[in-house]
Amino acid sequence: QVQLVESGGGPVQPGDSLTLSCTVSGGTFSDYAMGWFRQAPGGARSFVAAVSRHGGATYYGESVKGRFTISRDNAKNTAYLRMNSLKPEDTAVYYCAADRRANDHSFSIHSSAYDAWGQGTQVSVSS
């Protein structure tokens, strides 16, 4: 059974940068498109970014476009989310997710498409 573990969250100030990691075990990492989602207090889970199985295609939510970068290292079974110019509204629990049904060049922005999820890591942006 595939397991996902996020790390790298924490408290930061506005304008700071942070990199989240998501390490996958129990499956073949390159079989999965990977996505990042987030959920702010009292809010719904929303799409942040996704990357295709071999990293050739990426997509971002409008609120993070130009500030966040998703990547993956299939040799390390790890996906990353580099977050620059963080804002207070980026405060949320960030979740990584794996989609086994995606083909080589696709991914979904819908949480329902993802088969497995990590436990989440908290990112708090405040001055």
Side-chain angles (χ1 to χ4, degrees):
Q1 183 174 350
V2 63
Q3 293 185 321
L4 291 72
V5 178
E6 301 100 334
S7 60
V12 295
Q13 295 186 336
D16 283 353
S17 297
L18 204 59
T19 298
L20 306 182
S21 300
C22 173
T23 301
V24 177
S25 61
T28 302
F29 185 60
S30 58
D31 284 349
Y32 301 94
M34 297 298 297
W36 286 95
F37 293 78
R38 67 186 181 185
Q39 187 166 15
R45 192 169 295 188
S46 61
F47 172 78
V48 175
V51 60
S52 58
R53 293 165 68 177
H54 297 283
T58 58
Y59 191 76
Y60 299 91
E62 283 300 318
S63 62
V64 306
K65 198 173 292 184
R67 298 188 298 124
F68 290 12
T69 302
I70 189 171
S71 62
R72 64 189 296 158
D73 185 338
N74 285 359
K76 295 182 178 180
N77 292 351
T78 301
Y80 304 95
L81 185 69
R82 173 67 175 178
M83 305 183 293
N84 294 330
S85 303
L86 282 161
K87 305 175 181 179
E89 51 264 44
D90 294 318
T91 295
V93 178
Y94 284 72
Y95 299 90
C96 68
D99 175 9
R100 188 171 51 187
R101 290 167 289 185
N103 63 31
D104 283 358
H105 306 290
S106 71
F107 40 71
S108 175
I109 65 170
H110 303 292
S111 59
S112 58
Y114 291 80
D115 307 291
W117 293 80
Q119 82 288 351
T121 186
Q122 176 72 48
V123 174
S124 299
V125 186
S126 68
S127 54

